């Protein structure tokens, strides 16, 4: 036979159970919060860092932000002398943008185009005007993400290794864009 508890008894029992659960939870949280920091830290142990040997690493040369700024200003100045409104981008050896300067009045499309030309030039260590010709034999090159095979991008090298790319966009021709990018490259000491 099943015994039925009164409503008052059920409410009192439920309240007592809730109070016990809450006290247990609060006690656990309070105990963890008051545990010494050293005890908490010892619970998580980090693996020691691995040391790489000389034969496991390489060293590369990167263009400084000052040199990138100097190159961009020189390209903008060269374009201004000829009444052209351009955007110039400088990327590092890995194709990451160091800086992009959009000249006064440069078209909105020039920003992305300049970055892509700089990326393309450093990726192939060749001026983008030269790379344009390669599309005849390999038309799928243009499908590589982030690239633009139009004149206006030049690599910057240290020795023979590419360390940066300068891309210019916004002039009425790739020939002019490349001329201004070359002016930027020439400004780097």
């Amino acid at each position: 036979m099943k015994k039925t508890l009164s409503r008052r008894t059920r409410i009192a029992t439920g309240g007592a159970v809730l109070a016990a659960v809450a006290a247990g939870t609060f006690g656990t949280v309070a105990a963890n919060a008051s545990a010494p920091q050293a005890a908490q830290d010892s619970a998580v142990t980090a693996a020691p860092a691995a040391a790489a040997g000389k034969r496991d690493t390489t060293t590369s040369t990167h263009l400084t932000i000052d040199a990138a700024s100097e190159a961009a200003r020189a390209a903008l100045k060269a374009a201004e002398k000829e009444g052209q409104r351009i955007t110039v981008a400088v990327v590092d050896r890995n194709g990451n943008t160091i800086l992009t300067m959009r000249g006064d009045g440069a078209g909105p499309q020039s920003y992305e185009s300049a970055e892509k030309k700089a990326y393309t030039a450093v990726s192939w260590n060749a001026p983008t005007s030269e790379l344009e010709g390669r599309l005849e034999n390999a038309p799928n090159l243009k499908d590589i993400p982030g690239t633009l095979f139009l004149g206006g991008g030049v690599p910057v090298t240290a020795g023979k290794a590419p360390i940066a790319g300068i891309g210019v966009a916004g002039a009425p021709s790739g020939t002019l864009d490349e001329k201004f990018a070359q002016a930027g490259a020439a400004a780097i000491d």
Side-chain angles (χ1 to χ4, degrees):
M1 180 184 268
K2 187 175 177 184
K3 185 175 180 182
T4 305
L5 299 175
S6 71
R7 180 181 169 126
R8 184 182 293 184
T9 306
R10 287 192 314 252
I11 291 173
T13 305
V17 168
L18 285 174
V21 168
T25 302
F26 177 75
T28 302
V29 170
N32 284 340
S34 64
Q37 186 63 40
Q40 290 179 12
D41 290 343
S42 68
V44 178
T45 56
K54 277 191 168 194
R55 66 186 177 104
D56 297 325
T57 61
T58 62
T59 302
S60 62
T61 303
H62 293 273
L63 200 61
T64 66
I65 186 69
D66 290 337
S69 298
E70 188 177 328
R73 284 192 301 271
L76 286 169
K77 189 174 182 177
E80 188 178 305
K81 283 182 184 178
E82 295 193 27
Q84 299 300 317
R85 297 178 177 139
I86 64 159
T87 297
V88 59
V90 182
V91 300
D92 68 11
R93 172 61 189 112
N94 300 319
N96 299 311
T97 303
I98 299 172
L99 66 84
T100 303
M101 290 185 180
R102 184 174 173 264
D104 295 334
Q109 79 288 355
S110 64
Y111 193 91
E112 185 177 349
S113 297
E115 288 184 336
K116 287 183 174 184
K117 289 178 183 183
Y119 176 83
T120 305
V122 76
S123 295
W124 276 270
N125 193 23
T128 53
S129 62
E130 178 185 309
L131 297 170
E132 265 184 287
R134 295 185 190 178
L135 290 177
E136 291 175 19
N137 295 329
N140 291 347
L141 281 178
K142 69 181 180 337
D143 297 332
I144 297 172
T147 60
L148 187 58
F149 292 87
L150 296 175
V154 297
V156 177
T157 59
K160 293 184 180 184
I163 61 165
I166 300 174
V168 171
S173 73
T175 303
L176 281 173
D177 284 341
E178 192 161 311
K179 177 181 177 182
F180 305 140
Q182 287 288 2
I188 298 172
D189 300 325

